[in-house]
Amino acid sequence: MTGNWEVALERSTANNVPGVWNVLEKYPYIENTRKSLRAAKMKVIENMEVYLKQAMESVSRSGGKPHFARDAGEALQIVDGIIGSSKHIIMGKSSVAFEIGLRRHLAEAGRDVCETDFGEFLLQISEEEPSHIITVALHMTREAFGRSIHDKLQKSINENSSAPEMAAVVRSFLADKYQKAEIGITGANAVAADTGSVALVENEGNIRMTTVKPPIHIVVTGVDKIVPTMQDAFNEIMVQSAYAGSYPPTYINFTTGPSSTGDIESEIVRPATGPKEVHVVFIDNGRMEAARDPVLRQSLLCVRCGRCYFACPVYGILGKDWGKPPYSGPTGVMWHSVVTGDSSFAHLCTHSGGCMEVCPMDIDIPGVMEYLKWKDIREKTK
């Protein structure tokens, strides 16, 4: 990493680490919630095909349209088919969308594609890649944000502008994108197999707008995001936001099929005011094979809180260069192996163990890294 990486990481660490500890101290019930969630997610990992079938049936029963893609290519074809000739697309932050190259694919097809998450949007206009699984622009300082906004959006903003001043400019720019959007694309923090509900947690309000404003909402998500019940989905929201240091979250969104109303003689009618179509694209891309692997399957427990990044000395030095965005850093290296089969980045792990100490899912990340090193050597010496 170059530039102001050390400054950016130091500032984020100073906010995140004490922030998470404060949350855990103030809301002690999170401890039991995370244990319950781990058990629920392990059930799915051990029976992934069963829960995938149940989740797809539940999405269909709620009026949504489920899809299954074995890999990135199939996922892009499915999304293309849903979008048709629509041109204006807004996106909520999604590492799975980045994983399959969705934004680039849509832009290359001549569509007007705009990220709506503040950090993801600034990466888009800066032509940068994510450096953290959740705080995607962690490597950029406030001054770097200011320069990007000055160059691409608003000349009155510069490196000396305040964060609220920058946010106001981005908010104004995105307002027009929300109005024109024909398609909204998001990821999912969890999908409940029993109801087909898609759970999303956020703080900015952009995901709420992306899921409700356009007439068509597309969810792209890994099959690892399936949990048995809606209660488990809510638990995943709680654990993810707590260990990300943003508990309670500003917004929690549950989407169960297209918009609906029961105001006419209690008959449920779809659509109502919101989207008329909701599509959920479940993507395998290596996840089901990982679920069958007795060691690598632990990776699928990850809730993407990003806490392990702040406990890792290797990430502290290399940043996003340790791995390949969006999957860099300790959990990212595991995920890069899941979706690409490339385990070579694990060799840089020094096994400090800090990642395992802070992981809410008790993933033995150092153990998985050791396993990936062995796998990589075995493959290269066959």
Side-chain angles (χ1 to χ4, degrees), residues 204-222:
E204 297 178 14
N206 66 300
I207 285 181
R208 183 156 293 194
M209 297 287 282
T210 303
T211 58
V212 172
K213 187 69 179 61
I216 297 176
H217 174 203
I218 302 173
V219 180
V220 291
T221 182

Side-chain angles (χ1 to χ4, degrees), residues 168-186:
V169 169
V170 174
R171 176 189 173 93
S172 176
F173 178 84
L174 291 179
D176 181 58
K177 297 294 183 181
Y178 289 128
Q179 291 301 320
K180 291 181 178 176
E182 300 165 282
I183 305 285
I185 299 177
T186 69

Side-chain angles (χ1 to χ4, degrees), residues 33-188:
T33 305
R34 75 171 185 88
K35 292 178 180 176
S36 175
L37 176 63
R38 191 185 195 282
K41 290 177 74 70
M42 188 54 74
K43 282 184 185 176
V44 176
I45 291 170
E46 293 171 345
N47 302 279
M48 189 161 278
E49 293 185 359
V50 172
Y51 280 102
L52 172 61
K53 182 174 182 292
Q54 184 186 4
M56 293 185 72
E57 290 173 348
S58 296
V59 169
S60 181
R61 190 171 61 250
S62 69
K65 297 181 180 179
H67 308 265
F68 174 70
R70 288 173 296 183
D71 54 32
E74 285 191 1
L76 295 176
Q77 285 183 4
I78 290 169
V79 174
D80 282 343
I82 299 169
I83 290 176
S85 59
S86 298
K87 183 175 177 60
H88 300 289
I89 300 166
I90 53 176
M91 299 182 67
K93 182 172 60 182
S94 166
S95 56
V96 175
F98 195 98
E99 170 191 320
I100 64 174
L102 182 55
R103 190 180 77 206
R104 183 181 67 249
H105 171 78
L106 296 174
E108 288 176 350
R111 305 182 198 269
D112 174 29
V113 187
C114 184
E115 296 282 356
T116 60
D117 173 82
F118 191 86
E120 199 75 64
F121 173 74
L122 290 174
L123 290 183
Q124 182 181 9
I125 65 172
S126 305
E127 300 179 357
E128 296 261 1
E129 293 182 318
S131 56
H132 185 271
I133 199 72
I134 180 171
T135 311
V136 291
L138 187 145
H139 61 289
M140 296 179 69
T141 60
R142 177 177 54 80
E143 292 83 353
F145 278 135
R147 288 191 290 270
S148 288
I149 295 173
H150 175 87
D151 292 341
K152 302 295 177 64
L153 284 186
Q154 176 61 261
K155 293 300 182 186
S156 64
I157 297 294
N158 56 48
E159 60 186 15
N160 296 317
S161 298
S162 68
E165 289 172 333
M166 298 179 199
V169 169
V170 174
R171 176 189 173 93
S172 176
F173 178 84
L174 291 179
D176 181 58
K177 297 294 183 181
Y178 289 128
Q179 291 301 320
K180 291 181 178 176
E182 300 165 282
I183 305 285
I185 299 177
T186 69

Side-chain angles (χ1 to χ4, degrees), residues 161-289:
S161 298
S162 68
E165 289 172 333
M166 298 179 199
V169 169
V170 174
R171 176 189 173 93
S172 176
F173 178 84
L174 291 179
D176 181 58
K177 297 294 183 181
Y178 289 128
Q179 291 301 320
K180 291 181 178 176
E182 300 165 282
I183 305 285
I185 299 177
T186 69
N189 287 100
V191 181
D194 64 341
T195 63
S197 305
V198 175
L200 284 159
V201 60
E202 59 152 337
N203 297 304
E204 297 178 14
N206 66 300
I207 285 181
R208 183 156 293 194
M209 297 287 282
T210 303
T211 58
V212 172
K213 187 69 179 61
I216 297 176
H217 174 203
I218 302 173
V219 180
V220 291
T221 182
V223 293
D224 58 294
K225 286 301 174 185
I226 298 171
V227 291
T229 68
M230 196 163 178
Q231 175 65 63
D232 297 318
F234 192 77
N235 285 348
E236 180 137 1
I237 291 290
M238 293 172 66
V239 173
Q240 193 276 345
S241 56
Y243 283 84
S246 56
Y247 188 87
T250 305
Y251 299 109
I252 294 174
N253 300 281
F254 277 91
T255 299
T256 310
S259 58
S260 65
T261 177
D263 284 340
I264 304 174
E265 298 179 348
S266 297
E267 178 186 358
I268 301 300
V269 176
R270 298 178 187 272
T273 305
K276 62 181 181 180
E277 292 182 24
V278 172
H279 298 259
V280 182
V281 184
F282 293 98
I283 301 172
D284 176 4
N285 210 27
R287 291 165 173 83
M288 299 184 86
E289 182 178 346

